[in-house]
Amino acid sequence: MRLSRYFLPVLKENPSEAQIVSHRLMLRAGLIKQSAAGIYSWLPMGFKILRKLENIVHEEQARAGHLAMLMPTIQSADLWHESGRYDAFGDEMLRIKDRGGREMLFTPTAEELITDIFRSHVSSYKDLPLTMYQIQWKFRDEVRPRFGVMRGREFLMKDGYNFDLTKEDALHAYNRHLVSYLRTYERMGLQAIPMRADSGAMGGDDTHEFLVLAETGESEVFYDSAVTDLSFGDREIDYSSVEDCAAVMEEFTTKYARTDETHDEALFNEVPEERRRTARGIEVGQIFYFGTKYSEAMGATVQGPDGKNQPVHMGSHGIGVSRLLGAIIEASHDDKGIIWPEGVTPFHVGIVNLKQGDAEADAACEALYSALTLMGLEPLYDDRNERAGGKFASMDLIGLPWRITVGPRGLKNGVVELTSRRTGESEEMPPEAAVQKLGQIYAGIA
């Protein structure tokens, strides 16, 4: 992509309505534009990153054996009356009526709908276990939408639902999701800590939130600093193995880590004093086990091995895909702009031509662009007729992890400059060496 042909409406000044870093930088970098309170249009670069995050989620869900599907954004209220949640959910639910006067709602979550699908088609324990998920837009009518996509009213969410014969099977599904989420977040360059949380309107006793530590986090969190030393890394896990998944669950949830709703001061005081931490956290996902709460209310039963019908055990698992952009920026930025991790960057490298119109510089940039593209990388070539300072500022703002700077002076010596956005370190090398180095860097990214 050439910047002269791209739609990237960057802003020089900080928008007055933006209260936190991620909101400010997403607006300034031309990723989003507000349509209404808590509702945003996703502009080309923001949409590109959103799709990258979606793809990572899909890949890790498939790795865990979960099945992708898609449910409607508009649901009938009948199912919610049946489960008993229509009135209990509160004012966050956007309730509407169609032209026939039928009660409808804009989906805030989909436990009722997926349970209806299940009970319509599954009747035997032989069809279990089953986990299905979707990535779909949701709407919750927040009283005070703020912080951009971090607390918007419309948001993109991965919501998954497991159906199992027994509690033990369902808790294995719970552990399996924790493993898949750890892999998902680490691929995005995030350390998301699983913390014991409150189930809220979902119900059930077992739930963990995944939180990214950040000063602007909405939740107060209490944790043993040893949890920040944990990393899933590139280990391979057999998702069908109860023992493997349980071992990861134990490793990542044994040390104290809780949100303020479930904080236990007595337990926290058992943590060595030098490791006790209090901070703020951004929720980026949550997993629930709620047993037969919905299956009993809605008649989602299967015939067991003994020939008797029994309600299935269920859980749900969510990732806030759109709010992940905000969380990544909150965790990875500096005073110049965003710093995208290599795994989610919209473009792998920026090419800056210091003297647009110079035949040698133009030719060198075109050659770099072609070589990087042939390697399977996506470069963003700043071919605008702008001053160098403006080009550097734009690249720093949008936060591509690497930049190749091409100018007549360097080309006379046969070199270009490769710069790391994260460290600011630059290295002069021949253009071919820069291409080769970038290829090696991204070859290691899952």
Side-chain angles (χ1 to χ4, degrees):
M1 180 56 64
R2 297 162 194 276
L3 203 47
S4 62
R5 302 177 191 172
Y6 201 59
F7 183 68
L8 188 66
V10 298
L11 305 175
K12 292 183 179 180
E13 304 297 329
N14 288 325
S16 59
E17 71 272 24
Q19 298 173 284
I20 62 172
V21 168
S22 59
H23 190 194
R24 182 165 68 246
L25 290 177
M26 288 183 77
L27 290 170
R28 284 199 57 210
L31 306 185
I32 57 172
K33 184 183 185 304
Q34 182 170 303
S35 173
I39 301 173
Y40 293 88
S41 294
W42 291 80
L43 306 182
M45 188 169 286
F47 183 64
K48 189 175 178 65
I49 303 162
L50 198 62
R51 282 289 175 258
K52 286 207 168 189
L53 298 178
E54 276 190 77
N55 288 339
I56 291 173
V57 173
H58 277 304
E59 288 167 8
E60 293 304 326
Q61 288 297 296
R63 190 194 299 265
H66 306 157
L67 306 175
M69 62 176 301
L70 189 63
M71 291 178 276
T73 57
I74 302 295
Q75 295 185 31
S76 167
D78 293 345
L79 294 173
W80 287 70
H81 284 301
E82 189 177 346
S83 73
R85 278 210 303 175
Y86 184 74
D87 295 317
F89 204 88
D91 292 338
E92 284 189 0
M93 182 188 290
L94 181 62
R95 296 165 170 85
I96 55 180
K97 288 186 178 181
D98 66 12
R99 66 174 66 196
R102 290 175 288 266
E103 289 183 318
M104 310 290 284
L105 57 96
F106 198 115
T107 299
T109 183
E111 282 78 9
E112 284 79 2
L113 191 55
I114 193 71
T115 304
D116 181 55
I117 292 169
F118 176 87
R119 71 183 178 182
S120 299
H121 299 285
V122 180
S123 58
S124 170
Y125 76 96
K126 295 178 181 179
D127 295 320
L128 302 180
L130 178 64
T131 297
M132 296 185 286
Y133 78 96
Q134 64 171 349
I135 298 178
Q136 176 64 293
W137 291 97
K138 306 289 191 300
F139 188 92
R140 294 184 186 177
D141 202 2
E142 293 274 358
V143 176
R144 291 191 302 135
R146 60 192 188 278
F147 303 154
V149 301
M150 297 290 289
R151 192 150 189 162
R153 292 192 294 166
E154 185 185 54
F155 53 96
L156 188 65
M157 181 178 174
K158 173 263 165 178
D159 50 317
Y161 308 90
N162 68 282
F163 301 87
D164 291 277
L165 185 64
T166 66
K167 179 177 181 179
E168 291 72 27
D169 293 340
L171 289 177
H172 171 55
Y174 187 93
N175 295 348
R176 189 174 68 238
H177 277 85
L178 180 132
V179 175
S180 70
Y181 279 20
L182 291 173
R183 283 188 56 92
T184 299
Y185 295 125
E186 287 193 14
R187 282 187 61 187
M188 296 174 180
L190 287 172
Q191 182 177 45
I193 303 169
M195 298 193 178
R196 178 68 65 179
D198 181 66
S199 62
M202 295 299 180
D205 298 324
D206 290 275
T207 181
H208 281 85
E209 285 181 358
F210 292 79
L211 290 108
V212 174
L213 301 178
E215 292 180 2
T216 52
E218 63 209 330
S219 302
E220 186 176 17
V221 297
F222 304 82
Y223 64 97
D224 180 339
S225 64
V227 302
T228 60
D229 297 327
L230 298 174
S231 173
F232 189 84
D234 58 0
R235 70 180 88 173
E236 288 297 326
I237 292 291
D238 179 359
Y239 281 102
S240 65
S241 168
V242 172
E243 294 76 16
D244 283 3
C245 293
V248 176
M249 166 64 79
E250 183 177 3
E251 177 185 354
F252 279 83
T253 63
T254 300
K255 294 179 175 61
Y256 192 93
R258 297 195 177 199
T259 60
D260 50 0
E261 295 98 336
T262 61
H263 176 54
D264 185 319
E265 192 68 27
L267 285 177
F268 188 51
N269 287 336
E270 293 179 10
V271 177
E273 186 175 359
E274 68 274 12
R275 299 207 317 251
R276 286 180 221 152
R277 299 288 188 275
T278 303
R280 309 295 298 181
I282 300 168
E283 181 200 342
V284 291
Q286 190 162 5
I287 55 177
F288 301 86
Y289 162 70
F290 40 66
T292 58
K293 172 183 171 70
Y294 297 95
S295 55
E296 285 185 345
M298 300 181 67
T301 62
V302 295
Q303 189 179 67
D306 58 2
K308 297 179 181 178
N309 277 354
Q310 62 186 78
V312 294
H313 287 255
M314 294 175 56
S316 71
H317 325 90
I319 290 180
V321 179
S322 53
R323 74 159 25 208
L324 274 169
L325 272 84
I328 291 169
I329 293 170
E330 291 292 334
S332 185
H333 69 273
D334 60 17
D335 57 358
K336 296 178 181 178
I338 302 165
I339 305 174
W340 291 115
E342 277 88 350
V344 299
T345 181
F347 295 94
H348 297 106
V349 58
I351 301 172
V352 172
N353 188 340
L354 293 181
K355 193 170 184 180
Q356 197 69 39
D358 177 85
E360 190 177 3
D362 291 354
C365 288
E366 293 290 348
L368 280 166
Y369 187 92
S370 297
L372 290 162
T373 303
L374 286 171
M375 188 176 281
L377 300 181
E378 290 184 280
L380 178 64
Y381 175 21
D382 191 345
D383 60 342
R384 300 171 301 163
N385 189 21
E386 299 282 345
R387 60 182 181 84
K391 291 187 174 187
F392 290 145
S394 293
M395 283 293 174
D396 285 341
L397 175 61
I398 63 177
L400 306 186
W402 296 92
R403 184 186 76 223
I404 299 177
T405 304
V406 181
R409 184 181 301 173
L411 290 175
K412 286 181 180 178
N413 298 318
V415 298
V416 296
E417 187 178 69
L418 182 64
T419 304
S420 165
R421 174 68 180 86
R422 187 168 299 279
T423 67
E425 294 176 358
S426 295
E427 184 180 358
E428 290 189 340
M429 61 184 71
E432 299 79 9
V435 171
Q436 185 177 23
K437 183 171 181 176
L438 287 168
Q440 292 170 347
I441 289 168
Y442 284 105
I445 304 298

